[in-house]
């Protein structure tokens, strides 16, 4: 894993440098394109809240029909969350610019907390970008759920053979060259699939061309160290209840210091203990002879 | 003819071993004691709930939700239980590394207590795992998640249990009368102790480090990058208070097994431990104070969670610290025992504050454990006490080792 992480930082570093230097670093781009993450750009200005992506997601992943919960939410005005029976939901929010819709699913972080938390690598950041979950490795400890800042992994509490349910960016479809189900079928072009770098460029272009419509922020560009899903919105993101308390550095960074101290503790502490043990070995004998 | 005699001898040996084990399995004391009358129904009920849990899934017996995936079984059984088992590495450090012979008579019972705590509380982890049949994956190498703190903790649990078993194994050898094994196993003690202390330092702090990634979810008064250090320091007085508590009880319950010499030493040991507890409680309080000032959380003190934090710090850190101190100065064993109980309650409170109570403190719907989670937790504790009692009544844990051990050593 240390190799994986190193590789990952390399990728991040190269991506960062490329972003900063831009077109001038032409030579680097060949390397970058090999390892670049794919992602999806969600444009809340274009989303009409048709919930079509929810049906497509359920179809593609053999999940129950979402219509009942959609109707119920429309009647009661309740905000829906993803759960073990749905990997994505679309909610409407009353904002300063009227009703705005927001799609929720896994953000596919560049450096995912869930994958760093997983002790069997069941949560796995693929080199293409999607964070996937692998049945045969998972032991169901739910540490990924504790760690995920976006509360995305969901657990089947009522099954004796429970699975973790979360969006996988339709990794199986991606491998056969298809688009993720939600992207492929969006009638309003609200979802756009592509390389993360391209998506950021496209998002900047949209903001630049219509500054009066878009908020000048791409949610996911820096959040949690950068995510592969990116959001554009006509209103500040806190009006859409997107988590704005998310830190900008990656979450696995938080445990790095502790984990890096482990090898040194393993070398230094036994040596120290052995030294003290040798130093005190005779104390008892001396004090005994003093007593006598 | 020759072979016939040989086989008879073997048969004889097997049957006596078999008889020995059978007679040892039988209960030795009265069956209808108050403890048994309370614990047996709870253990049976707990077993029933465990069957339902594996048949219908975790959701059928626990109140866990998608928002709160870790509840009482992790927050109390594992995180708090392991802190209480910290006494074993502290006592081993004092006796084998610092050569403080005064505490030698409580090494075995402490190590036994620690070992059983790990077996049962880490065992309770299996109940909480959704897919427990995959628990061997991180051990057998079906993908090592080495970037995971839980990976470290899992491996350390396993290795530390082995180290503790080695530390305790001379007692088993004495019980079975295995002289050669006794010699070999005793020779491994120091290595096991050094390895065990190192493992303990890392996984006691590791249990705190588990929560580092839940940065926004834990109340800021309990979250800081120093959780691992705080967990490590508090495991020292948690473990020692457990020794005082458990020692006081076993001193009464197993009175007949303890030698005259150790009876007299008991008070002096409690007295010595109270001094160490005072010191570590002070260090812990000072650390908490530093973290609090460093985190600039003054504005949070005037809120329900702020009061709760102050309650924990004054009532369950400062107060037992003073009680320990007074108990030490006045040589008052009762005071020391009261301090031990308050310290233990404080450790439970602290671990639950980090893992359950302060977790997603901003949510309106709170996690409260179901009665079934509580029953299973009690069943785990009671079963541990049963095994603990069974071992003490059979192996030389509190009573003196058989005479042949001393002959070998001399």
């Amino acid at each position: 894993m240390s190799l994986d992480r190193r590789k990952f930082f390399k990728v991040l570093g190269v991506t960062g440098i490329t972003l900063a230097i831009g077109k001038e670093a032409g030579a680097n781009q060949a390397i970058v394109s090999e390892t670049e993450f794919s992602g999806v750009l969600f444009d809340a200005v274009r989303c009409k809240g048709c919930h079509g992506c929810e049906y497509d997601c359920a179809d593609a992943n053999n999940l129950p029909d979402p219509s009942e919960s959609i109707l119920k939410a429309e009647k009661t005005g309740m905000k829906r969350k993803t759960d073990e029976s749905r990997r994505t939901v679309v909610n409407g929010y009353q904002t300063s610019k009227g009703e705005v819709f927001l799609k929720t699913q896994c953000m596919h972080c560049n450096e995912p907390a869930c994958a760093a938390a997983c002790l069997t690598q069941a949560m796995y950041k693929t080199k293409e970008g999607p964070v996937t979950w692998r049945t045969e490795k998972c032991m169901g400890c739910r540490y990924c759920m504790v760690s995920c800042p976006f509360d995305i992994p969901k657990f089947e509490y009522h099954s004796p053979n429970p699975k973790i349910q979360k969006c996988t960016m339709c990794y199986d479809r991606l491998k056969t060259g298809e688009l993720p189900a939600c992207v492929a079928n969006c009638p309003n072009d609200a979802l756009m699939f592509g390389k993360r770098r391209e998506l950021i460029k496209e998002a900047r272009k949209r903001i630049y061309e219509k500054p009066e419509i878009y908020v000048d922020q791409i949610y996911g560009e820096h959040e949690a160290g950068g995510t592969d899903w990116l959001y554009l919105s006509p209103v500040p993101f806190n009006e859409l209840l997107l988590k704005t308390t998310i830190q900008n550095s990656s979450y696995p960074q938080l445990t790095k210091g502790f984990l890096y101290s482990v090898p040194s503790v393993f070398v230094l502490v036994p040596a120290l203990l052995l030294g003290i043990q040798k130093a005190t070995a005779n104390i008892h004998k001396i004090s005994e002879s003093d007593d006598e | 003819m020759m072979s016939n005699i040989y086989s008879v001898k073997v048969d004889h040996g097997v049957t006596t071993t078999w008889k020995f084990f059978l007679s040892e399995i039988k209960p030795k004391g009265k069956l209808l004691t108050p403890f048994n009358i309370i614990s047996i129904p709870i253990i049976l009920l707990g077993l029933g709930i465990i069957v339902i849990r594996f048949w219908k899934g975790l959701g059928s017996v626990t109140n866990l939700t998608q928002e709160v995936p870790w509840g009482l079984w992790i927050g109390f059984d594992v995180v708090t239980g392991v802190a209480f088992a910290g006494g074993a590495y502290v006592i081993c450090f004092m006796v084998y590394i610092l050569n403080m012979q005064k505490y030698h008579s409580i090494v075995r019972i402490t190590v036994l207590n620690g070992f059983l705590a790990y077996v049962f509380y880490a065992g309770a982890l299996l109940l909480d795992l959704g897919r427990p049949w995959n628990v061997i994956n991180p051990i057998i190498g079906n993908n090592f998640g080495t970037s995971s703190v839980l990976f470290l903790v899992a491996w350390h649990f396993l290795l530390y249990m082995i180290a503790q078993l080695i530390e305790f194994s001379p007692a088993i050898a004495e019980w079975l009368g295995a002289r050669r094994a006794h010699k070999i196993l005793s020779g491994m003690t120091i290595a096991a102790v050094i390895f065990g202390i190192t493992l303990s330092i890392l996984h006691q702090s590791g249990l705190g480090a588990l929560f580092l990634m839940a940065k926004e979810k834990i109340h800021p008064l309990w979250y800081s990058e120093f959780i691992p250090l705080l967990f490590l320091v508090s495991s020292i007085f948690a473990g020692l208070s457990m020794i005082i508590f458990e020692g006081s009880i076993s001193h009464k319950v197993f009175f007949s097994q303890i030698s005259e010499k150790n009876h007299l030493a008991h008070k002096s040991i409690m007295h010595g431990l109270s001094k160490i507890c005072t010191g570590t409680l002070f260090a812990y309080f000072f650390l908490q104070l530093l973290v609090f000032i460093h985190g600039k959380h003054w504005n949070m003190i005037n809120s329900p969670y702020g009061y709760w934090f102050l309650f924990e710090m004054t009532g369950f850190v400062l107060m037992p610290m003073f009680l320990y101190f007074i108990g030490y100065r006045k040589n008052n064993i009762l005071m020391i025992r009261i301090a031990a109980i308050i310290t233990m309650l404080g450790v439970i409170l602290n671990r639950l504050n980090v893992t359950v109570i302060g977790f997603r403190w901003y949510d309106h719907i709170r996690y409260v454990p179901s009665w079934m989670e509580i029953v299973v937790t009690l069943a785990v504790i009671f079963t541990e006490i049963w095994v603990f009692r069974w071992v003490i009544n059979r192996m030389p844990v509190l009573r003196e080792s058989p005479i042949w051990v001393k002959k070998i050593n001399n």
Side-chain angles (χ1 to χ4, degrees):
Chain A
M1 186 59 206
S2 68
L3 243 183
D4 276 6
R5 173 168 277 182
R6 208 173 291 162
K7 210 194 279 169
F8 176 68
F9 280 125
K10 214 191 286 171
V11 174
L12 199 70
V14 173
T15 319
I17 291 166
T18 321
L19 281 175
I21 304 175
K23 280 179 184 167
E24 287 163 17
N28 267 349
Q29 283 193 354
I31 310 166
V32 171
S33 62
E34 279 174 14
T35 47
E36 218 186 341
F37 293 145
S38 296
V40 177
L41 172 66
F42 171 80
D43 192 333
V45 173
R46 298 185 184 186
C47 179
K48 301 277 186 294
C50 70
H51 300 281
C53 51
E54 289 188 45
Y55 290 93
D56 300 322
C57 179
D59 269 355
N61 298 300
N62 297 319
L63 295 168
D65 184 7
S67 36
E68 207 176 298
S69 92
I70 292 171
L71 284 176
K72 200 178 149 199
E74 266 170 13
K75 267 185 208 155
T76 58
M78 194 180 67
K79 301 293 170 237
R80 291 152 71 231
K81 290 176 176 171
T82 60
D83 65 21
E84 68 270 36
S85 66
R86 44 179 187 249
R87 295 180 179 185
T88 186
V89 290
V90 175
N91 281 316
Y93 295 92
Q94 291 305 327
T95 69
S96 46
K97 290 190 180 172
E99 192 170 29
V100 175
F101 294 94
L102 182 85
K103 181 178 179 300
T104 312
Q105 74 298 305
C106 173
M107 299 290 290
H108 299 278
C109 305
N110 286 348
E111 241 186 298
C114 58
C118 186
L119 72 168
T120 56
Q121 294 188 328
M123 277 292 174
Y124 185 68
K125 177 79 176 172
T126 59
K127 63 180 191 306
E128 295 88 348
V131 179
T132 59
W133 177 78
R134 304 186 285 188
T135 324
E136 73 285 0
K137 299 197 187 291
C138 176
M139 52 191 243
C141 69
R142 308 188 297 289
Y143 187 27
C144 50
M145 299 167 72
V146 172
S147 304
C148 175
F150 301 100
D151 295 322
I152 289 303
K154 305 291 170 174
F155 183 79
E156 294 175 344
Y157 280 107
H158 289 281
S159 159
N161 181 12
K163 294 186 193 68
I164 294 279
Q165 289 287 357
K166 73 178 271 300
C167 161
T168 59
M169 219 194 275
C170 288
Y171 186 56
D172 292 333
R173 288 171 59 108
L174 288 185
K175 277 193 293 193
T176 59
E178 283 178 283
L179 288 172
C182 53
V183 179
N185 300 305
C186 179
N188 302 312
D189 254 350
L191 294 166
M192 180 183 176
F193 179 85
K195 296 289 177 202
R196 187 171 184 269
R197 191 166 43 88
E198 301 289 334
L199 293 178
I200 290 177
K201 220 186 267 176
E202 167 69 21
R204 290 241 170 81
K205 203 182 100 201
R206 288 187 201 173
I207 295 172
Y208 180 75
E209 281 171 358
K210 291 175 181 166
E212 71 286 356
I213 291 180
Y214 289 99
V215 168
D216 188 12
Q217 190 196 346
I218 307 167
Y219 189 91
E221 190 182 7
H222 303 296
E223 277 73 11
T227 61
D228 291 348
W229 272 74
L230 301 159
Y231 286 81
L232 280 177
S233 159
V235 291
F237 287 99
N238 55 359
E239 288 189 43
L240 301 178
L241 296 185
L242 259 179
K243 281 198 173 183
T244 43
T245 50
I246 301 290
Q247 64 171 19
N248 277 349
S249 54
S250 85
Y251 279 77
Q253 197 81 26
L254 295 167
T255 52
K256 221 171 104 184
F258 175 78
L259 286 169
Y260 279 13
S261 74
V262 171
S264 22
V265 169
F266 247 114
V267 174
L268 295 177
V269 171
L272 189 70
L273 293 177
L274 205 61
I276 302 173
Q277 197 251 335
K278 292 284 174 234
T280 59
N282 291 322
I283 283 180
H284 196 55
K285 280 176 193 161
I286 294 164
S287 62
E288 253 180 11
S289 59
D290 283 351
D291 289 344
E292 282 163 9
Chain B
M1 189 70 190
M2 282 294 285
S3 66
N4 221 351
I5 292 167
Y6 183 70
S7 70
V8 168
K9 261 188 183 168
V10 169
D11 265 349
H12 185 67
V14 169
T15 43
T16 46
T17 325
W18 186 237
K19 269 184 188 165
F20 172 71
F21 276 112
L22 272 184
S23 73
E24 289 292 82
I25 280 173
K26 279 180 199 154
K28 281 196 170 172
K30 270 195 298 179
L31 211 59
L32 289 176
T33 59
F35 172 73
N36 289 0
I37 290 169
I38 297 169
S39 66
I40 291 173
I42 290 183
I43 291 174
L44 292 177
L45 188 58
L47 283 174
I49 295 169
I50 289 169
V51 170
I52 298 173
R53 176 255 167 275
F54 282 107
W55 178 30
K56 298 243 171 154
L58 271 168
S60 56
V61 300
T62 67
N63 277 351
L64 297 174
T65 60
Q66 303 294 355
E67 282 75 30
V68 185
W70 283 359
L72 190 72
W73 289 354
I74 300 286
F76 182 78
D77 298 19
V78 180
V79 178
T80 315
V82 166
F84 285 143
Y89 83 90
V90 180
I91 289 292
C92 281
F93 175 71
M94 285 157 61
V95 171
Y96 292 108
I97 306 297
L98 296 181
N99 211 356
M100 296 160 87
Q101 291 300 326
K102 180 173 141 188
Y103 300 97
H104 201 280
S105 61
I106 60 164
V107 167
R108 273 194 184 169
I109 190 159
T110 310
V111 171
L112 174 67
N113 198 8
F115 174 68
L116 292 179
Y118 274 86
V119 169
F120 279 90
Y121 302 144
L125 193 70
L126 288 182
L127 303 178
D128 196 71
L129 290 183
R131 310 168 60 81
W133 50 91
N134 277 344
V135 73
I136 46 165
N137 274 353
I139 307 295
I140 60 171
N142 184 7
N143 279 83
F144 284 155
T146 45
S147 63
S148 169
V149 179
L150 194 58
F151 177 78
L152 177 112
V153 171
W155 263 97
H156 282 200
F157 275 9
L158 181 74
L159 293 175
Y160 188 51
M161 275 192 247
I162 296 171
Q164 279 185 317
L165 189 60
I166 293 171
E167 286 165 23
F168 185 71
S169 60
I172 302 174
E174 284 164 23
W175 170 58
L176 297 172
R179 300 181 186 207
R180 263 184 69 86
H182 185 275
K183 202 171 179 196
I184 298 166
L185 292 169
S186 304
M188 290 160 74
T189 301
I190 287 292
V193 164
I194 290 181
F195 192 48
I197 294 169
T198 315
L199 290 170
S200 292
I201 291 175
L202 285 171
H203 73 247
Q204 291 286 1
S205 51
L207 282 174
L210 281 180
F211 294 89
L212 286 177
M213 278 200 282
K215 190 182 174 191
E216 290 89 12
K217 298 185 193 175
I218 295 171
H219 194 280
L221 286 172
W222 284 275
Y223 181 93
S224 77
E225 62 265 47
F226 298 104
I227 301 181
L229 192 60
L230 292 169
F231 267 45
L232 176 63
V233 176
S234 52
S235 78
I236 297 173
F237 55 75
L240 293 182
S241 298
M242 184 66 175
I243 293 175
I244 295 172
F245 177 72
E246 167 270 318
S248 303
I249 293 173
S250 25
H251 191 74
K252 288 211 173 68
V253 176
F254 304 107
F255 192 80
S256 56
Q257 298 196 18
I258 304 169
S259 70
E260 191 68 23
K261 196 182 91 194
N262 289 342
H263 268 306
L264 295 174
H266 177 73
K267 267 197 166 184
S268 149
I269 288 173
M270 298 295 122
H271 188 231
L273 292 180
S274 69
K275 186 174 152 190
I276 302 169
C277 284
T278 315
T280 41
L281 272 165
F282 178 74
Y284 177 74
F285 179 74
F286 197 72
L287 265 173
Q288 283 280 15
L289 193 69
L290 282 181
V291 170
F292 175 72
I293 294 170
H294 189 76
K296 300 191 180 86
H297 295 314
W298 297 109
N299 53 336
M300 286 179 171
I301 281 298
N302 196 13
S303 71
Y305 274 97
Y307 306 144
W308 186 240
F309 180 75
L310 287 180
F311 177 64
E312 184 195 322
M313 287 305 131
T314 50
F316 293 95
V317 181
L318 276 184
M319 187 158 85
M321 185 182 97
F322 282 118
L323 290 179
Y324 266 131
F325 183 67
I326 297 166
Y328 170 71
R329 287 299 295 269
K330 303 213 162 145
N331 208 346
N332 184 340
I333 296 294
L334 181 69
M335 190 80 88
I336 292 172
R337 284 177 185 158
I338 293 171
I341 291 171
I342 299 175
T343 309
M344 287 170 66
L345 289 176
V347 171
I348 296 174
L349 190 63
N350 174 260
R351 296 304 194 263
L352 290 183
N353 275 340
V354 174
T355 59
V356 177
I357 298 169
F359 192 79
R360 297 187 71 97
W361 51 285
Y362 41 80
D363 275 353
H364 298 297
I365 302 161
R366 305 288 315 172
Y367 160 82
V368 177
S370 70
W371 66 269
M372 289 184 275
E373 289 178 80
I374 295 169
V375 168
V376 170
T377 299
L378 289 175
V380 169
I381 295 171
F382 285 142
T383 316
E384 194 221 338
I385 297 174
W386 271 76
V387 176
F388 187 67
R389 190 175 62 177
W390 185 88
V391 173
I392 288 181
N393 279 331
R394 280 153 190 84
M395 300 181 196
V397 177
L398 285 170
R399 71 182 111 96
E400 296 286 307
S401 299
I403 304 156
W404 58 265
V405 176
K406 278 177 190 155
K407 277 184 190 157
I408 288 179
N409 289 344
N410 296 332

